Amino acid sequence: MAVTLDLQDHPARWIAAEWGRHLAQDRRRSAHTVRAYVATAHRLVAFLGQYHGKAVDAVLLAEVGPADLRAYLAARRAEGLANASAARELSAVRGFLKHVAGEAPRMKGPRVKRSVPRPVSPDDAVALAEDVADAASQPWIAARDLAVLLLLYGSGLRVGEAMALTGAVLPLGETIRVTGKRAKTRIVPLLPPVRAAIEDYLAKSPWPVERDGALFRGARGGPLSADIVRRAVRIARAGLGLGDRTTPHALRHSFATHLLGRGADLRALQELLGHASLSSTQIYTSVDAAHLMDVYRNAHPRA
């Protein structure tokens, strides 16, 4: 007869909570990442309780081996978890176990085919920004939306990074300091057209920008939500006949791809994008190669 144990019965639930605090305070992971990783730790604890038929504590966690992890992943796959999600889950589980015992079982994760980002052409990027602005209800909101999207395209920011900018970046110069993942800061270029768009927005905005306040404001004066930007892009891309992959984040991909196509060094591009690992930047070499093949097929008489 199977033993049914509620998560509250496991001492390890406190270990998972402590790991969450470690991720947030010591590793400076985002709130979203912390929630996802802690939820994964709780799922592992609940599974191990059923699998072994007893309460899970630090001793049991330290004894977890590859067979336990294979069984856990099999159970998660039976629930419909795809390869990419299973690989991320295994990474979180290994991090949790390493935190508990100082090391984690060695095992290969599911094979994941790495998708190539879909960049937006320069003309489409500008058209998208202008179309979003044209649909705005007020002139200052139009100026704001144009400034945000040109910033994503012209400086390679994540939409969350743009939303997190404060009045501390003023007055604007040729560069801007951005805080990215894990609270890491980097310096990115601020091209003249992008700087002009932001300054136009600031001149038209009815809301004063304070040093510690949000640079981009919502219609009621609060910080602008990334969801507002995403929704505006969804509406605009339909009108322009652009695909579903044309998102605010795709503008960041375009920034990277276009720089690489103009001869940018991978290490320099890594710094501009705020990637922790060069492997995350190297994927854009595939994007650029794909672009060159498209040009070849369209232009070469024997292609």
Side-chain angles (χ1 to χ4, degrees):
M1 181 178 179
V3 176
T4 301
L5 291 169
D6 185 85
L7 186 61
Q8 298 298 319
D9 297 326
H10 300 292
R13 75 187 187 279
W14 298 110
I15 302 174
E18 191 278 328
W19 183 51
R21 287 190 292 273
H22 166 71
L23 291 174
Q25 297 172 10
D26 301 332
R27 301 291 300 279
R28 294 185 177 183
R29 295 298 183 92
S30 70
H32 174 77
T33 297
V34 172
R35 284 194 299 271
Y37 277 31
V38 171
T40 297
H42 284 318
R43 279 194 296 271
L44 175 69
V45 170
F47 169 80
L48 291 173
Q50 300 301 321
Y51 190 65
H52 290 282
K54 61 182 180 180
V56 180
D57 55 15
V59 174
L60 193 152
L61 288 175
E63 295 173 348
V64 168
D68 298 290
L69 293 190
R70 282 193 290 270
Y72 172 72
L73 285 182
R76 293 289 287 139
R77 293 298 299 274
E79 296 172 358
L81 203 66
N83 271 8
S85 297
R88 288 193 296 270
E89 185 127 345
L90 178 59
S91 176
V93 164
R94 286 176 51 97
F96 175 52
L97 294 176
K98 186 175 182 179
H99 176 74
V100 175
E103 59 181 355
R106 293 181 176 273
M107 64 173 289
K108 291 184 178 180
R111 293 178 65 94
V112 179
K113 183 179 179 180
R114 198 166 191 184
S115 61
V116 175
R118 297 288 183 88
V120 181
S121 72
D123 289 343
D124 285 343
V126 174
L128 180 69
E130 292 176 342
D131 202 70
V132 168
D134 288 343
S137 59
Q138 300 179 52
W140 80 268
I141 293 180
R144 178 202 69 191
D145 292 349
L146 183 66
V148 168
L149 294 179
L150 289 183
L151 180 61
L152 300 184
Y153 173 60
S155 298
L157 270 63
R158 302 174 178 92
V159 65
E161 293 171 344
M163 298 302 96
L165 292 176
T166 68
V169 301
L170 303 176
L172 297 174
E174 295 182 350
T175 60
I176 191 171
R177 183 180 295 274
V178 178
T179 302
K181 291 184 175 180
R182 304 187 188 181
K184 290 185 177 180
T185 61
R186 67 185 190 277
I187 303 296
V188 299
L190 198 60
L191 302 177
V194 179
R195 184 165 64 249
I198 297 175
E199 289 173 342
D200 182 54
Y201 149 68
L202 292 171
K204 293 176 178 176
S205 174
W207 309 104
V209 178
E210 300 175 352
R211 181 174 179 80
D212 295 330
L215 180 66
F216 295 111
R217 311 292 282 273
R220 297 182 179 180
L224 178 62
S225 167
D227 288 339
I228 297 294
V229 178
R230 295 188 183 102
R231 182 161 63 245
V233 168
R234 281 198 301 270
I235 295 171
R237 76 188 179 204
L240 292 170
L242 300 175
D244 291 346
R245 291 194 177 185
T246 304
T247 64
H249 200 70
L251 298 176
R252 171 175 160 87
H253 294 324
S254 300
F255 167 84
T257 304
H258 300 159
L259 280 183
L260 191 62
R262 290 176 178 269
D265 176 75
L266 268 180
R267 286 289 183 186
L269 188 57
Q270 178 189 3
E271 290 294 325
L272 288 174
L273 292 171
H275 286 159
S277 169
L278 185 62
S279 63
S280 298
T281 313
Q282 285 173 329
I283 192 171
Y284 290 104
T285 60
S286 300
V287 177
D288 195 51
H291 172 69
L292 289 175
M293 286 305 298
D294 286 341
V295 172
Y296 170 79
R297 293 190 186 100
N298 292 329
H300 198 287
R302 296 182 180 276

